[in-house]
Amino acid sequence: TNSAKRALLERRITGRTPIHLGGVWCEKSSHPTNRCTALISLPPLSAPLYIMAKILLVEDNEMNRDMLSRRLVKRGFEVTMAVDGLVGLSEAQSGKYDLVLMDMSLPGLSGWEATQKLREDPAMAKLPVIALTAHAMESDRQQALAAGCDEYETKPVDLARLLEKMNRLLGVTDSSA
Ligand code: MN
């Protein structure tokens, strides 16, 4: 999947160019002083390509949304948020994202329904979707996988475990870990 990674990298580079400063990669800021907006402490650009992956976070709970998005941004992901299933579905269908984190319990259209509808489009068949639920029961996991989710995580999120799943689905092997 080297070509896939390369395509991902090139796509990211055209969007936001990371610059190398004093041994760290950082995102170029539009600020006139050209200060970094975020420092990324992983040195080789070839390994952690996931630092520029675009994530769609669909989550109706404001506290969960803020906390998880902040932690992911700190890790270098670009995070867009949607607060309900309908908006989440239409955002996911836009094709702008590399991976979706989908809360299952959402107002209006649930995460299960949104994922099912997303998978009806063949172009969206391979977009990685990780289900997030507050329930740790096997039936919930089965229901999420049956709806078309690739993975399943319970809340509160164990970030290390979530990152491992995200990286695997993004096709990244993190040699710096
Ligand atoms: Mn919810």
Side-chain angles (χ1 to χ4, degrees):
T1 61
N2 266 346
S3 61
K5 280 191 209 172
R6 170 136 194 115
L8 179 65
L9 174 63
E10 282 172 358
R11 190 144 49 88
R12 292 297 153 261
I13 282 177
T14 55
R16 298 165 87 175
T17 310
I19 52 175
H20 197 243
L21 277 185
V24 294
W25 287 96
C26 56
E27 284 177 3
K28 197 173 182 177
S29 163
S30 54
H31 195 270
T33 62
N34 205 22
R35 265 209 214 132
C36 293
T37 51
L39 288 181
I40 299 160
S41 58
L42 303 168
L45 186 61
S46 58
L49 294 188
Y50 66 87
I51 62 175
M52 284 171 287
K54 284 191 169 189
I55 308 300
L56 173 64
L57 172 61
V58 189
E59 167 66 81
D60 61 315
N61 182 284
E62 191 179 354
M63 209 174 71
N64 290 344
R65 202 166 59 225
D66 287 354
M67 195 186 294
L68 184 53
S69 63
R70 220 170 291 174
R71 295 170 86 190
L72 290 173
V73 167
K74 261 191 212 161
R75 299 299 178 112
F77 291 98
E78 194 175 320
V79 182
T80 300
M81 289 169 274
V83 301
D84 65 41
L86 267 182
V87 175
L89 174 61
S90 70
E91 268 302 305
Q93 285 169 328
S94 71
K96 288 187 290 192
Y97 302 98
D98 301 307
L99 185 143
V100 179
L101 297 173
M102 181 79 81
D103 177 30
M104 291 290 101
S105 177
L106 293 166
L109 199 64
S110 75
W112 293 283
E113 292 166 323
T115 305
Q116 245 165 2
K117 287 205 184 300
L118 182 70
R119 295 304 192 211
E120 285 172 11
D121 178 357
M124 293 291 134
K126 291 200 168 154
L127 177 64
V129 177
I130 300 179
L132 301 177
T133 93
H135 312 286
M137 292 195 316
E138 176 61 18
S139 58
D140 291 292
R141 198 181 73 89
Q142 291 302 339
Q143 195 182 353
L145 298 181
C149 297
D150 301 280
E151 269 294 354
Y152 172 94
E153 269 299 309
T154 51
K155 296 189 282 188
V157 161
D158 176 333
L159 192 66
R161 201 171 57 196
L162 178 64
L163 287 172
E164 188 275 320
K165 288 178 178 174
M166 290 172 69
N167 289 339
R168 183 165 47 73
L169 289 170
L170 288 166
V172 174
T173 40
D174 187 355
S175 60
S176 69

